[in-house]
Amino acid sequence: MKIKYSALLFLLLFFAISHTILGQKQYVAADTNNSDFANKITLMFVGDIMQHMPQINSAKVGNDEYDYNDCFKYVKPLLSDADFTIVNLETTLAGKPYSGYPQFSAPDAIVPALINSGVDIISTANNHSCDKGAKGIKRTIAILDSLQVERIGTYLDYGDKYDNHPLIINKNDIKIALLNYTYGTNGLPVPNPHLVNLIHYDSIRNDIETAKLLRPDKIIVYIHWGTEYQLLPDSSQIKTAKFLFDNGVDIIIGSHPHVVQPMVWHKRNIINDRDNLVVWSLGNFVSNQRKINTDGGALVKIEIEKKGNLSYIKNANYYLTWVNIITDTNSKKYNVLPSWYIDNDTIVDGNQKVAFKLFLKNTREHLNSNNINIGEGEIIQNKL
C-alpha cells in the first residue's frame, strides 16, 4: 500500500522553520581546517522498546526466570557498531506482577539483554514513565544503576537530576550533552519527589543553557513527541524542533508515534554555521504491534568528527529493522531482524516474509521521498 503524503509540503515546512535555503552551497567543514587529523565518535539511536504481555510471556524460561537475549541476537552487530548506542525504554521495571498495555511493567532481564547487545544508554522519559507510580520510577532507576548503564529522562529527586542531567558522554576529545524529554505521562501525575523531564519550554531552555556551560561539542535531545501512527511530523513537533534548534540544540531524535517518520540533516553552509539534524520518529524497535507500518522501525547512526576546535556531523545513515514473530503450538518468540534478513528462509517463513517485505517497501518509499541527506546504511554482517 503506497504511502500518500506530500513530500513537497514536508520540505517547505521544515525548510521554513530552519531558515535553510534550497540549493544553497554546502559548507565542507574539513576544508576550513589545516589539520589533517580528525577525531570521531559514532552514535546509534534506537526507537521504542515496548513490552506487551505476549512478549513478556515469550521471554519466560523458568518459574521465575526470563531471558531476552534471543530477541536481540540478530541485531547485536548493529547495536554494537557504535561508540554509544541509545534506546528508549517504554516500560517501567516495577517488578511483579508484570503487565503490558496500558500500564507497563517488564522483567528486569530485558536490561542485561540490551546491554549484552551493545546498548550503552537508556532513556526513560516517555508517556509510560509513571505507569506504576513512585515504585515504577524508583525501581526502574535502581535496576539501571545496579547494572551500571547510563540513563536519562527520569530522576529520583532534584539532587539526582542535578548530578545526572544533562548526561555527558566523552570519547576521543569529543564531548556530547544528552537531554531527554516527553510530551506527557498519559495524564498520570509525577509522584513527589521524583521527576520526569517534560516538554516545558522554559525548563528546557534552562537545561540547554546549563549544558552549554559544560562546553559540549554537540547537544542532542532524545524526545518523546508527536501523534501516534502519523507518518509525518505534526505541528507541535515542528514548533518544538524550531524552539530546540533556535536555542542551540544540534541533533533531535524523536520517538512515540510507533511508525518511522522522516529524517532531515541540514549541513553547515554560508548562512547556517551549525549542522542541524532531526529524526522525527524512529518507530518501534520491538513491540507486539502488527498494524501496517508499526511492525518495524529504524536505527540511525551518526558520526561526529572534530578537527581542532571545529566539530561537525560527518555522516548519518539509517538501518531498517523488523520484528519477526515465530509461533509454535505453545508460545511465540520475538526476534528483531535487520533488513537484510528478508532473504533468510530459515529464520523468516513465507507468511512473515510478506509482512516484512511490505514494511521495507513502504518505509523505504516514505524515506526516499522525504529524507534530506540521510540514506540507508550498508549491510553490517552478522558476527554471532
Side-chain angles (χ1 to χ4, degrees):
M1 189 172 101
K2 190 169 182 179
I3 298 166
K4 299 178 180 178
Y5 284 96
S6 169
L8 178 60
L9 176 60
F10 170 77
L11 293 177
L12 290 174
L13 282 170
F14 190 71
F15 275 119
I17 69 164
S18 59
H19 313 294
T20 302
I21 299 173
L22 283 166
Q24 200 166 17
K25 183 178 179 180
Q26 296 297 321
Y27 172 84
V28 181
D31 291 341
T32 68
N33 195 294
N34 292 327
S35 173
D36 290 329
F37 179 77
N39 290 331
K40 73 174 183 177
I41 187 173
T42 54
L43 309 171
M44 186 78 79
F45 293 93
V46 182
D48 296 337
I49 295 175
M50 308 189 74
Q51 282 296 289
H52 298 96
M53 278 309 299
Q55 295 170 265
I56 293 172
N57 293 335
S58 77
K60 192 170 185 178
V61 293
N63 289 335
D64 194 28
E65 296 180 8
Y66 293 81
D67 188 340
Y68 286 89
N69 285 293
D70 279 354
C71 182
F72 306 120
K73 67 180 181 180
Y74 297 110
V75 79
K76 181 175 181 177
L78 265 174
L79 300 185
S80 301
D81 191 52
D83 295 314
F84 295 94
T85 294
I86 302 99
V87 305
N88 171 49
L89 185 65
E90 197 157 356
T91 179
T92 68
L93 305 172
K96 293 181 177 180
Y98 302 129
S99 58
Y101 182 84
Q103 294 183 321
F104 294 98
S105 178
D108 303 343
I110 192 169
V111 179
L114 289 169
I115 295 170
N116 291 341
S117 299
V119 171
D120 304 286
I121 300 165
I122 293 178
S123 75
T124 55
N126 53 67
N127 59 307
H128 291 284
S129 298
C130 296
D131 278 3
K132 298 297 180 178
K135 178 184 178 183
I137 294 174
K138 184 176 181 179
R139 194 175 183 281
T140 299
I141 290 172
I143 295 301
L144 298 181
D145 286 353
S146 72
L147 294 169
Q148 299 181 323
V149 61
E150 299 287 356
R151 56 180 169 87
I152 49 174
T154 62
Y155 304 94
L156 296 174
D157 50 32
Y158 280 104
D160 183 32
K161 182 173 179 178
Y162 179 83
D163 291 339
N164 295 290
H165 180 78
L167 176 65
I168 300 296
I169 56 177
N170 197 333
K171 185 169 183 179
N172 298 331
D173 195 37
I174 300 174
K175 183 189 292 186
I176 308 292
L178 284 171
L179 305 168
N180 177 217
Y181 302 93
T182 178
Y183 73 92
T185 55
N186 288 346
L188 298 172
V190 179
N192 287 327
H194 306 314
L195 301 170
V196 176
N197 282 350
L198 299 173
I199 301 175
H200 292 159
Y201 285 6
D202 287 343
S203 61
I204 293 175
R205 187 183 292 109
N206 290 336
D207 291 343
I208 294 170
E209 292 306 311
T210 298
K212 288 177 181 177
L213 294 175
L214 301 171
R215 302 181 66 83
D217 294 289
K218 296 294 179 188
I219 299 176
I220 300 177
V221 170
Y222 196 148
I223 190 165
H224 210 67
W225 61 356
T227 303
E228 289 184 332
Y229 314 118
Q230 183 170 307
L231 291 165
L232 290 177
D234 64 22
S235 59
S236 69
Q237 287 170 275
I238 293 171
K239 178 183 176 182
T240 299
K242 182 181 187 306
F243 164 80
L244 293 173
F245 286 140
D246 286 349
N247 281 274
V249 170
D250 302 287
I251 297 170
I252 303 168
I253 307 293
S255 61
H256 175 63
H258 301 303
V259 295
V260 178
Q261 294 181 344
M263 310 157 187
V264 177
W265 170 19
H266 291 308
K267 300 182 180 181
R268 287 175 181 262
N269 52 58
I270 58 176
I271 290 178
N272 179 25
D273 65 352
R274 289 176 27 239
D275 292 295
N276 290 151
L277 188 153
V278 57
V279 177
W280 294 107
S281 172
L282 289 167
N284 287 332
F285 180 63
V286 64
S287 79
N288 191 52
Q289 293 186 329
R290 304 309 283 176
K291 292 192 301 184
I292 191 168
N293 302 319
T294 68
D295 48 351
L299 313 183
V300 170
K301 184 179 180 183
I302 299 171
E303 180 181 324
I304 297 170
E305 199 167 79
K306 184 177 180 180
K307 289 190 176 183
N309 293 321
L310 179 63
S311 62
Y312 48 93
I313 299 172
K314 178 69 173 178
N315 290 302
N317 299 104
Y318 70 85
Y319 298 88
L320 298 181
T321 61
W322 185 77
V323 181
N324 185 45
I325 302 179
I326 303 169
T327 304
D328 59 27
T329 56
N330 298 314
S331 65
K332 293 181 178 181
K333 293 296 180 185
Y334 294 76
N335 301 127
V336 183
L337 302 180
S339 60
W340 45 89
Y341 275 85
I342 186 65
D343 295 321
N344 193 316
D345 295 328
T346 63
I347 297 173
V348 186
D349 66 28
N351 291 332
Q352 293 279 69
K353 186 169 288 191
V354 172
F356 196 171
K357 285 183 176 179
L358 182 62
F359 170 78
L360 295 178
K361 175 180 179 293
N362 282 353
T363 308
R364 283 172 173 150
E365 286 181 355
H366 183 42
L367 298 183
N368 287 342
S369 297
N370 293 291
N371 277 16
I372 299 175
N373 292 323
I374 303 180
E376 192 165 4
E378 297 179 356
I379 292 175
I380 296 175
Q381 293 295 335
N382 200 336
K383 297 178 181 179
L384 293 175

